[in-house]
Every structure is written in C-alpha cells, then in structure tokens.
Amino acid sequence: MEQANDPDRTQPDRIWTAALIVIGDEILSGRTQDKNIAQLASWLNVQGIRLAEARVVADRTQAIVEAVNTLRARNDYLFTTGGIGPTHDDITVDAIAEALGVAVEHHPEALAVLERYYATRGGLTEARARMARVPAGAGLIVNTVSGAPGIRIGNVFIMAGVPHITAGMLDGLTGTLEGGRPVVSGTIGCWVGESEVADLLRTTEKVHEGVSIGSYPFFRDGRTGANFVVRSPDAALVDACLADLTRELEAGGREVVPEGI
Amino acid sequence: MEQANDPDRTQPDRIWTAALIVIGDEILSGRTQDKNIAQLASWLNVQGIRLAEARVVADRTQAIVEAVNTLRARNDYLFTTGGIGPTHDDITVDAIAEALGVAVEHHPEALAVLERYYATRGGLTEARARMARVPAGAGLIVNTVSGAPGIRIGNVFIMAGVPHITAGMLDGLTGTLEGGRPVVSGTIGCWVGESEVADLLRTTEKVHEGVSIGSYPFFRDGRTGANFVVRSPDAALVDACLADLTRELEAGGREVVPEGI
C-alpha cells in the first residue's frame, strides 16, 4: 500500500473512511468509560482517514457479525477493540471469522511471540495459546506493550480493548495505511451564547466551500461561551475561514480567543 | 406506564433494552471524549433497562435516519444525545422527524420555556426559537440545567450533548420508564493473569446459570491483575457465584480482594 500523503496518489481528493466497533459488555454496562473511540479518531486524522462511524456492541456473536459485515463493506478500514483476551467472554476472533466465512486457526508466528513472552512468566498454557487464534489467512499487528499481537485480515484490524495496548498497536500501524490529506482543524473561542451567532456561523460556512464549522457551547464560571472548530483537508481554507469568522465576531463587538477557550 | 420494579408486572423476567445514538462530528474527530454512553448505561441499569447497543454517527441526516430506524425498531427505548442546539450543525430534530415520517413544528410549551429562560438573557431570537422545534406530536423532557428542553416522541428520547445537561434530563425521567429487574453486579479482584484462571471462569459461569462473568485485566505497578465482575438480575445468584469463585481462587493459593482492585 502507498504511504499516507504520497504526492503521486492518483485520487488526491478521495475521502478515506474507517469505522470502529468497540466490543464489550463492560462499556455497555457503564462500568468502563471507553477511551478507544477518541484515541482511534485522533490517530486516524493523522493518517488522512476519517472515522465515519463507531458502534459499541455486546459480547454476543450475532451483534458482532452484523456490525462487522455492515461496516467493513462501506468503509475503507474497519477497526475493532476488545474481546481478544484468553477468557470465555473473549469471542471477537470467532465472531469475525464467522462474519468473514473463514475458519479459526492458531497463527504460528503469534504462538512463537506468546511462547517468548510467557517463557519467563509461567509458560504458554492452553488458555494463553487461545490468544494466538486468528481468522484463517490473517496477519499480525505488533504488540509492543504486552504479549498477544493484534490481527489484520483484509480491511479489518482487530485490536486490544485496554487503551494503552491499543495505542502501541496503532503506533506500529502508523504510516502503513493508505489515506488522503489529513483533515486540518483550527479553533477560536468566544464568550458568547452560540444562539447569538448561529446565523453568522451558517453564513460563514456557506461562503467557505469545503470547510465545516462545529459549534461547541459550554458553561464555565457562570458564563456562557462557545468554541468554533473549522475543519477541512485544506489548511489555507481553514485559515481563511477562521480569519473571516474572527473579523465578523470582532466587528460585532465580541472578544475572540485564538486557539479556543 | 408502570414504574420499574412494580411487583404486579405481568412479565417479570422480560429483558428491557435501550439503544443510544451519540450524534456529533466532535466525537468522531476525537476532539471530544464521549461521556454519555457510560452515563446513560449507568442510569439505565437503575431503571432495569439494559443498554444493548450504542452508535456514534456524524452530523449527517442519512446517517442519523438509518441509525434511528434500525435501533428504535429493535429496542424498547432509543435515546439520542447531541445536535439539538441553535446552530447550523444541529440537525438532530429534522433528521429524526424524517426518520419517523412526520413534520417539524414549534412546540408551544417549549417556546414558553425558552421565552422565560431568555427573558433576562437578551430575549428569544429566531435562532434561539429553533430550539423549540420538535417532530410533530412530540412531548418535552424537562431541562433543569439550561433553557432548551429535551424531546420525547414515541419510544425515542432526544437529549442534549453536553453531559451535565443530559444528566439533568435523565434525572427528570427517573422512574418514569417501564423496566425489568435491575441488573445487580458484584466484583472481586485478584493479582493474577486472567489466562491463568480462564478455565475456572468459564466453568464457574456455566455452573451458575443466569449470571455472566466479565474478566477485566490490568497492569499496575508492574504487576498483572484482573477484576471479575458477576452480573445478574438475581442478587442471590450473584452472591453465590462470587462466593464460589472466591473459594476456588483461594483454594488455588491466590489472594482475593473483595470489591475489586
């Protein structure tokens, strides 16, 4: 695959998309606060890939199969986090194999990795060897943090649920996926109720084709404010739009905080 | 509707489910860490309703329509968060009206609420009045924190994106939704690699029908540990399963930490 940002890419304006499936009852029960959506989203931005949708599904085979087949078909890449450990509730590999219509097998290289990792940690038991199971035909994603590697099959990337292990896997994937131009964003803040500038935002977005403006209100120290985030793959468009928005807000007598509040 | 936990309920073992759609480019861009999935999940548990699935979708009408129609059909309740403010990127109400095949109208009571709220805040402008727009036939959800109310239409509950405003709306809904028996959970912790006890967990879950055991590993202070969470609507089953698991772990020479690590 080409590197992201390859100037010779034939479709420079193509938008590359990814989806994420967060797998785990612990997220849906409220026990664990998901961190992988934000983590993957930020990483994808740098690769020039847009996170188009994310789903959180339970540890149930049919829920995983349905989400995998819907999302891998309509996105360039599909990532999953969670459910690849050694215990009975780790069903991700089996469910994804079922979705893809392939068998599950032990990956020899993954077995070797686990043997080395557990050599000084009590040895490779049958339960631990479960973590070398992959959908037939899969490759591995390096795990720099703990033992069990992630798994790649086709456009599906199967990663750990523990965020810092996922982070290590993403580090290993950096620069290996084809993407488009990274989306650039710029932010300004203003102590203003967003309803007071709603028309201005709408008009400004329309005038600057190719940018989107997000408005994110907050209440702090008893005051109402908002940050306005301008996004586009074209940095010059972002700058021009931000400058325009700042000028208009200041013309309306409002103080603008560069970089946001 | 009946209150949750009504002893006369005719289907005491029925499982009530809800889905959540988190609407917003700010989550998918990684700019904002979602907090509403965990917040809603915890609140639903207390109502005896299970969060069965969650999706994060972009500020695009078709993405919202698709998710709304899929999820409201297969769950008792559907909640949405985000996209109900006064600005151009707030398209939730229009998209949900489209999904339901109804028009959008200004809700008289919502207009009155906003008029009162903005009386001392510069008055009700056209942009602010946008927040009184609802799918035709909808009722309101009280907003105890800021001005604009949430919206209820059929089994769809439309709430704010800002977590503390959402929290206020959920407070107002507490006890008003029919649910089943709340799921009870209990946790024990153990300084053990989960792969070492995978077989024990699997066997224990099988023996105790009606419970699920989740295994949540972590690495802390250079040591490997895991928390085991037992869940069931039947508190006696949870206690019996936890006692059994504790006994077996201790019989294996492992120290168990009640309430988890």
Side-chain angles (χ1 to χ4, degrees):
Chain A
M1 281 208 181
E2 297 177 341
Q3 291 276 318
N5 305 319
D6 181 336
D8 292 320
R9 204 169 51 252
T10 49
Q11 298 170 285
D13 289 333
R14 191 189 146 181
I15 291 170
W16 295 77
T17 69
L20 168 62
I21 307 175
V22 175
I23 298 168
D25 290 347
E26 72 276 23
I27 309 291
L28 289 172
S29 73
R31 178 182 185 277
T32 303
Q33 162 74 56
D34 169 73
K35 297 206 172 78
N36 284 320
I37 297 175
Q39 167 167 264
L40 180 70
S42 301
W43 180 84
L44 285 170
N45 284 341
V46 179
Q47 319 303 311
I49 299 164
R50 184 178 300 177
L51 181 59
E53 44 189 330
R55 296 189 182 179
V56 186
V57 304
D59 295 324
R60 284 196 309 111
T61 301
Q62 280 317 308
I64 300 170
V65 168
E66 179 200 295
V68 165
N69 280 335
T70 302
L71 297 182
R72 76 187 171 101
R74 68 184 183 199
N75 291 281
D76 296 300
Y77 306 105
L78 171 63
F79 292 79
T80 73
T81 56
I84 62 168
T87 56
H88 64 288
D89 54 344
D90 292 308
I91 62 169
T92 297
V93 166
D94 295 84
I96 291 178
E98 185 174 324
L100 302 179
V102 302
V104 173
E105 60 187 25
H106 282 86
H107 192 291
E109 199 182 322
L111 274 174
V113 166
L114 290 169
E115 254 166 26
R116 281 196 300 275
Y117 182 78
Y118 285 112
T120 57
R121 294 175 172 88
L124 184 57
T125 60
E126 196 185 320
R128 288 167 170 174
R130 263 179 64 82
M131 294 186 280
R133 296 167 75 250
V134 302
L140 302 181
I141 301 170
V142 172
N143 175 352
T144 54
V145 176
S146 57
I151 300 162
R152 172 179 185 167
I153 178 160
N155 68 340
V156 182
F157 297 77
I158 305 170
M159 300 189 302
V162 179
H164 78 278
I165 301 179
T166 312
M169 292 178 177
L170 291 175
D171 270 352
L173 287 173
T174 295
T176 68
L177 302 188
E178 185 170 7
R181 285 193 294 179
V183 169
V184 177
S185 71
T187 303
I188 55 174
C190 195
W191 291 103
V192 64
E194 59 171 359
S195 59
E196 298 170 48
V197 293
D199 289 338
L200 171 63
L201 297 175
R202 188 190 320 265
T203 313
T204 307
E205 189 185 78
K206 259 193 197 140
V207 169
H208 294 267
E209 212 188 313
V211 310
S212 73
I213 305 179
S215 171
Y216 306 112
F218 56 80
F219 308 91
R220 208 176 296 162
D221 307 330
R223 293 170 77 194
T224 298
N227 285 304
F228 307 118
V229 179
V230 177
R231 294 189 189 90
S232 170
D234 186 331
L237 285 185
V238 170
D239 289 343
C241 182
L242 279 173
D244 211 11
L245 194 54
T246 300
R247 191 167 46 243
E248 290 292 333
L249 286 166
E250 288 176 345
R254 307 186 189 285
E255 190 194 342
V256 174
V257 181
E259 314 293 328
I261 296 166
Chain B
M1 281 209 178
E2 298 177 341
Q3 290 277 318
N5 304 321
D6 181 337
D8 292 321
R9 204 170 50 251
T10 49
Q11 298 170 286
D13 289 332
R14 191 188 146 181
I15 291 170
W16 295 77
T17 69
L20 168 63
I21 307 174
V22 175
I23 298 167
D25 290 347
E26 71 275 24
I27 309 291
L28 289 171
S29 73
R31 178 181 185 278
T32 303
Q33 162 75 54
D34 169 72
K35 297 205 172 79
N36 284 320
I37 297 174
Q39 167 167 264
L40 180 70
S42 301
W43 181 84
L44 285 170
N45 284 341
V46 179
Q47 320 303 310
I49 299 163
R50 184 177 300 178
L51 182 59
E53 45 190 329
R55 296 189 183 179
V56 186
V57 304
D59 295 324
R60 284 197 308 111
T61 301
Q62 280 318 307
I64 300 171
V65 168
E66 179 200 295
V68 166
N69 279 335
T70 302
L71 298 181
R72 76 187 172 101
R74 68 184 184 199
N75 291 281
D76 296 301
Y77 306 104
L78 170 62
F79 293 80
T80 72
T81 57
I84 63 168
T87 56
H88 64 286
D89 54 343
D90 293 308
I91 62 169
T92 297
V93 166
D94 295 83
I96 291 178
E98 185 174 325
L100 303 179
V102 301
V104 173
E105 59 187 27
H106 281 86
H107 193 291
E109 199 184 321
L111 275 174
V113 166
L114 291 169
E115 255 166 27
R116 280 196 301 275
Y117 183 78
Y118 286 112
T120 56
R121 294 175 173 87
L124 183 58
T125 60
E126 195 186 320
R128 288 168 170 173
R130 262 179 65 82
M131 294 186 281
R133 296 166 75 249
V134 302
L140 302 181
I141 301 170
V142 173
N143 176 352
T144 55
V145 176
S146 57
I151 300 162
R152 173 179 185 167
I153 179 160
N155 68 341
V156 182
F157 297 77
I158 305 170
M159 300 189 301
V162 179
H164 78 278
I165 302 179
T166 312
M169 292 178 177
L170 290 176
D171 270 352
L173 287 172
T174 296
T176 67
L177 302 188
E178 186 170 9
R181 284 193 294 179
V183 169
V184 177
S185 71
T187 303
I188 56 175
C190 195
W191 290 103
V192 64
E194 59 171 359
S195 59
E196 297 171 49
V197 293
D199 289 339
L200 172 62
L201 298 175
R202 188 189 321 264
T203 313
T204 307
E205 189 185 77
K206 259 193 197 142
V207 169
H208 294 267
E209 212 188 314
V211 309
S212 73
I213 306 180
S215 171
Y216 306 112
F218 55 81
F219 308 90
R220 207 176 295 162
D221 307 330
R223 293 169 77 196
T224 299
N227 285 304
F228 307 118
V229 179
V230 177
R231 293 188 189 93
S232 170
D234 186 331
L237 285 185
V238 170
D239 289 343
C241 181
L242 279 173
D244 211 10
L245 193 55
T246 301
R247 192 167 46 241
E248 290 292 333
L249 286 165
E250 288 176 346
R254 307 185 188 286
E255 191 194 342
V256 174
V257 181
E259 315 292 329
I261 296 166

